[in-house]
Amino acid sequence: ALGVSANLNIEGEGEQDHAVVTAERDNVMAALGWARARGDAELEVRIFAAVENWWVTAGPTREGMRRAIELIEQAADLAGVRRAELFRVAGNNTMIIESEERGLAFYEESLAEYRRAGDAGGIATMLVRIGFSAHRHEEIERARVLLNEARQLLQRVELPRLELQALTLDGLIAYTEGD
């Protein structure tokens, strides 16, 4: 409940509250440890993904990456949206502290899982994130194609934060092309 109420993932609505999660860090870590000790990978991923943005902005990013990779290895039977979320968070942390290439690989895995699950919001999220990476690598046409697919999906789901990110990517593409 704490993670969801803090609005720290792309699906959240309202103001993000990193401070509440930081103040409750020990409890967040205890909850993650409890879920792992029970062998409940789905619950662990739900807790982990609920504070997605905290890991990369105010939380322990290296620990977030380590936990994500451990979960990927330990929860090989986890499928669908939960597995997609896990790869998404792993990609975020890895992009920031290790390697864009490895982070992008996690993003691609996340996209594949969201596609298998038929989750339009998840697919759109990953298309935009991969689109930003394509733009950084000057793959402008690829970024545009990814963005266009994401925009089609965003007509079916309501993700205000993602809509703003898509608009930002659109602006970057236009700027790069001199528009």
Side-chain angles (χ1 to χ4, degrees), residues 64-131:
M65 185 180 81
R66 179 188 58 78
R67 282 182 177 273
I69 292 169
E70 285 176 3
L71 264 168
I72 288 167
E73 293 168 354
Q74 294 172 2
D77 59 336
L78 193 64
V81 171
R82 292 293 172 239
R83 188 156 183 85
E85 289 172 336
L86 179 55
F87 278 111
R88 183 176 84 192
V89 179
N92 294 343
N93 286 276
T94 305
M95 284 265 193
I96 288 174
I97 62 170
E98 185 182 274
S99 153
E100 183 168 1
E101 183 179 332
R102 187 173 186 202
L104 184 58
F106 285 134
Y107 279 177
E108 296 281 0
E109 286 288 335
S110 179
L111 175 60
E113 288 292 333
Y114 279 126
R115 285 190 191 282
R116 278 190 281 280
D119 185 300
I123 295 166
T125 297
M126 299 320 303
L127 290 168
V128 169
R129 291 189 186 178
I130 295 167

Side-chain angles (χ1 to χ4, degrees), residues 29 32 48 51-57 59-61 64 67 89 93:
M29 297 305 173
L32 289 166
F48 188 71
V51 295
E52 173 181 9
N53 190 262
W54 177 74
W55 292 107
V56 296
T57 56
T61 307
R67 282 182 177 273
V89 179
N93 286 276

Side-chain angles (χ1 to χ4, degrees), residues 7-18:
N7 295 310
L8 296 177
N9 61 29
I10 196 71
E11 297 86 8
E13 295 180 14
E15 187 175 341
Q16 294 185 340
D17 192 353
H18 296 86

